[in-house]
């Protein structure tokens, strides 16, 4: 009886591991590598989204606005909590979606791609037509 229980426990843990290595792997807070930025990737319905949760400039002034936005109507939005990734679906290692917004430049891309790299880092690519920009993010610790 004990062997059966051990076998069942081993089988259950083997089944649980692949499930844990799904889209949930990229949810959480990521360091953007620029200006001490941190973006939280979270579930938004059946997709994944990302919002700004911290940056060195935000620690100095939590009320910072999206002043670099190319759309003058959006320049009064607060940076803290601003959604910069929207509607990413796929997995378990690559997700596609968009739009992607970069508050450092005020530019956005209608399409983006997230890719979980073998080293645990996250590659973010935003593209407008044939022009793409890539950034590598690390898990925030």
């Amino acid at each position: 009886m004990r062997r059966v229980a051990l076998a069942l426990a081993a089988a259950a843990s083997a089944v649980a591991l692949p499930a844990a290595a799904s889209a949930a792997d990229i949810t959480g807070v990521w360091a953007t590598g620029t200006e001490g930025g941190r973006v939280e990737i979270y579930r938004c319905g059946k997709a994944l989204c990302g919002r700004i949760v911290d940056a060195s400039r935000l620690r100095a002034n939590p009320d910072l606005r999206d002043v670099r936005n190319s759309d003058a109507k959006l320049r009064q939005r607060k940076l803290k909590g601003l959604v910069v990734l929207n509607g990413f679906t796929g997995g378990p290692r690559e997700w596609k979606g968009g739009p992607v917004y970069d508050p450092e430049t005020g530019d956005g891309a209608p399409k983006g791609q997230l890719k979980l790299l073998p080293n645990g880092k996250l590659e973010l690519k935003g593209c407008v037509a044939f022009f793409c920009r890539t950034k590598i993010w690390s898990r925030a610790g």
Side-chain angles (χ1 to χ4, degrees):
M1 187 62 130
R2 184 172 178 192
R3 280 189 215 169
V4 172
L6 289 173
L8 287 173
S13 65
V15 170
L17 286 175
S22 67
D25 277 351
I26 68 166
T27 60
V29 179
W30 292 85
T32 66
T34 309
E35 296 187 31
R38 294 182 188 268
V39 170
E40 177 190 18
I41 296 179
Y42 61 96
R43 291 209 166 276
C44 52
K46 292 184 179 184
L48 296 173
C49 295
R51 65 179 152 234
I52 298 171
V53 293
D54 194 24
S56 56
R57 292 187 310 140
L58 282 173
R59 285 188 290 281
N61 180 2
D63 199 42
L64 278 178
R65 305 296 168 140
D66 189 17
V67 296
R68 296 179 183 156
N69 197 303
S70 56
D71 184 343
K73 292 180 251 167
L74 300 176
R75 292 182 185 152
Q76 289 305 309
R77 301 185 301 178
K78 285 188 174 189
L79 284 179
K80 187 164 187 152
L82 183 66
V83 175
V84 293
L85 304 172
N86 205 336
F88 282 80
T89 58
R93 300 203 68 78
E94 291 187 32
W95 296 261
K96 292 184 180 182
V100 176
Y101 178 67
D102 183 353
E104 295 169 32
T105 63
D107 295 325
K111 294 182 180 181
Q113 180 178 347
L114 299 171
K115 183 176 183 180
L116 187 59
L117 302 174
N119 63 3
K121 294 186 185 258
L122 187 66
E123 178 184 86
L124 166 65
K125 184 185 289 187
C127 298
V128 177
F130 298 105
F131 302 100
C132 296
R133 207 166 120 206
T134 302
K135 292 188 174 189
I136 304 294
W137 292 356
S138 301
R139 281 235 185 244

